[in-house]
Amino acid sequence: MSLLAFCEWLAATQGSIALHESLYMYPLVESVHVLALCLFVGLATILDLRLLGKVLRGVPVSQVADRLLPWTIGGFIVMVITGSLLFYAIPIRTYQSVWFRGKVIFLLLAGLNVWIFHSGIYKRVTGWDMDERTPWPARRAGIASLVLWALIIVFGRFIAYNWFDCDIQPQSAFVNWFAGCVVAAN
Amino acid sequence: MLLPFFQWLEKFWLGQYVVGSNWLFPVIESVHLLALALLGGSILIVDLRLVGLGLSGREVKEIAREARPYMNFALVMMVSTGIPLFLSEPIKCYYSPAFWVKMWTLAIALIYTYTIRTKTTRMEFVHNTARRQMLVGALSIALWFTVASAGRWIGFS
């Protein structure tokens, strides 16, 4: 089964239709998604800024990381659950959205960034815990995180707009390719 | 009573400029959202500490002092992007209960943040401060939570 076929199947399920058509559930899920952003991206930003030596310079990096981790993880879980529900409500259009696809790529890169940071420089954090200006790999992780999450927010917000939707043709060849549009040959 | 004023605002060039563009509203909205994330982080890090969570090993004073420039910056960004968003649809806002809930709670939250909350975060810690801190932090979270939720709801009404 192709991903598109899966999304078509998903879109025909009762839950998807109910969520899509609900007067309050969909806005409610979207609001929770946005509010969890403050918890997750907001607090992750504090850690990123600490890595760059821009805030809480007197606090050890590991203390900032450890103390904020439960909150960022909690926020992230809420983001994933509500985000999945938002996708579930509008599967096909979202799957064929250039913004959604861009967002997924940036999400994967953000995950990769966390993995590189934690399996690399953060293992030796005791050596630079109190540094105001942290080692380059740590600063690099902070910059990458700030940029990627900003892009994820903007692309996420843009999913709601239909400039590049597959059913609005003609689109450029790049959009049709990247969004996976099925364009009828004429 | 305010309706004529909002009708007058509807014709203001800045709002008309936003309405006339396909891209401007979403772009400004995105910056509004980015500033929200920063505002959320810089307020939450202090409020969490006030209620005894997050960076509980550090002094409230220190965290508040460090977070303050980011909170101020984020608020300036929120307001300066919020104004053109509002001006692009003043009449819609006028008839939206969510808009009025947001504006009233925003006014209360701003006054509260720069008076009671600031004063509390600057207090020297004495044995009975913890209770006050907890209350002040919890109220701050509740207020800003309402502002943000009502703000999101403007878009649905």
Side-chain angles (χ1 to χ4, degrees):
Chain A
M1 196 198 241
S2 74
L3 279 170
L4 182 59
F6 172 73
C7 290
E8 280 163 350
W9 170 81
L10 207 59
T13 59
Q14 282 206 326
S16 172
I17 296 166
L19 190 56
H20 185 104
E21 293 181 347
S22 70
L23 202 53
Y24 291 110
M25 265 318 273
Y26 186 83
L28 199 66
V29 172
E30 199 170 61
S31 300
V32 175
H33 195 64
V34 173
L35 286 169
L37 187 90
C38 297
L39 197 60
F40 173 61
V41 183
L43 292 179
T45 299
I46 302 281
L47 177 61
D48 295 336
L49 290 170
R50 172 61 187 91
L51 290 173
L52 296 175
K54 299 288 181 198
V55 80
L56 296 169
R57 276 171 288 255
V59 185
V61 173
S62 63
Q63 194 177 5
V64 179
D66 293 348
R67 284 304 183 145
L68 296 187
L69 198 65
W71 299 95
T72 47
I73 288 179
F76 187 73
I77 291 170
V78 176
M79 298 236 74
V80 171
I81 292 171
T82 51
S84 306
L85 284 171
L86 291 173
F87 182 89
Y88 178 54
I90 311 176
I92 302 168
R93 183 180 171 271
T94 310
Y95 172 67
Q96 292 188 322
S97 157
V98 289
W99 305 111
F100 176 75
R101 291 181 175 207
K103 178 174 175 174
V104 169
I105 291 171
F106 296 135
L107 275 169
L108 292 172
L109 289 174
L112 183 69
N113 183 49
V114 171
W115 181 76
I116 292 171
F117 176 70
H118 276 276
S119 62
I121 192 72
Y122 193 66
K123 285 206 160 144
R124 301 183 291 278
V125 68
T126 39
W128 51 274
D129 217 3
M130 282 308 291
D131 289 9
E132 284 191 9
R133 191 181 155 86
T134 63
W136 168 241
R139 275 181 289 138
R140 186 183 61 197
I143 295 167
S145 169
L146 286 173
V147 172
L148 285 168
W149 284 108
L151 285 168
I152 290 163
I153 289 176
V154 174
F155 274 54
R157 179 61 268 198
F158 280 8
I159 296 172
Y161 294 92
N162 66 352
W163 306 299
F164 300 126
D165 274 18
C166 286
D167 53 4
I168 301 174
Q169 294 292 342
Q171 295 283 0
S172 72
F174 172 78
V175 168
N176 279 329
W177 168 75
F178 190 57
C181 298
V182 183
V183 185
N186 49 347
Chain B
M1 190 184 77
L2 278 169
L3 187 57
F5 176 61
F6 278 60
Q7 283 165 339
W8 177 76
L9 285 176
E10 187 98 0
K11 298 188 197 77
F12 191 61
W13 66 269
L14 184 58
Q16 287 303 305
Y17 192 67
V18 176
V19 172
S21 158
N22 269 336
W23 284 88
L24 223 41
F25 189 92
V27 168
I28 300 171
E29 197 181 29
S30 297
V31 179
H32 199 63
L33 204 49
L34 290 173
L36 174 74
L38 185 62
L39 184 66
S42 55
I43 287 180
L44 269 175
I45 187 98
V46 179
D47 284 348
L48 284 176
R49 173 61 192 86
L50 282 170
V51 295
L53 300 165
L55 282 165
S56 48
R58 316 293 302 193
E59 270 194 83
V60 169
K61 234 193 320 188
E62 178 190 18
I63 297 165
R65 189 190 61 225
E66 290 286 313
R68 174 164 284 259
Y70 292 97
M71 180 181 76
N72 290 341
F73 172 73
L75 275 171
V76 169
M77 292 300 289
M78 290 302 278
V79 173
S80 48
T81 49
I83 287 171
L85 291 177
F86 161 70
L87 285 173
S88 74
E89 45 187 25
I91 302 289
K92 179 192 156 185
C93 288
Y94 180 83
Y95 288 110
S96 156
F99 171 78
W100 292 105
V101 171
K102 174 174 178 175
M103 287 308 138
W104 280 108
T105 46
L106 174 62
I108 296 166
L110 281 173
I111 295 168
Y112 174 79
T113 300
Y114 286 98
T115 55
I116 297 170
R117 185 173 177 273
T118 300
K119 203 175 152 197
T120 304
T121 56
R122 284 178 179 166
M123 276 188 336
E124 289 302 328
F125 191 85
V126 284
H127 69 282
N128 61 352
T129 331
R131 213 185 141 84
R132 175 183 169 140
Q133 286 181 341
M134 196 175 277
L135 262 161
V136 168
L139 187 55
S140 171
I141 293 174
L143 274 171
W144 286 112
F145 177 83
T146 313
V147 176
S149 317
R152 174 60 270 210
W153 216 266
I154 297 172
F156 296 127
S157 45

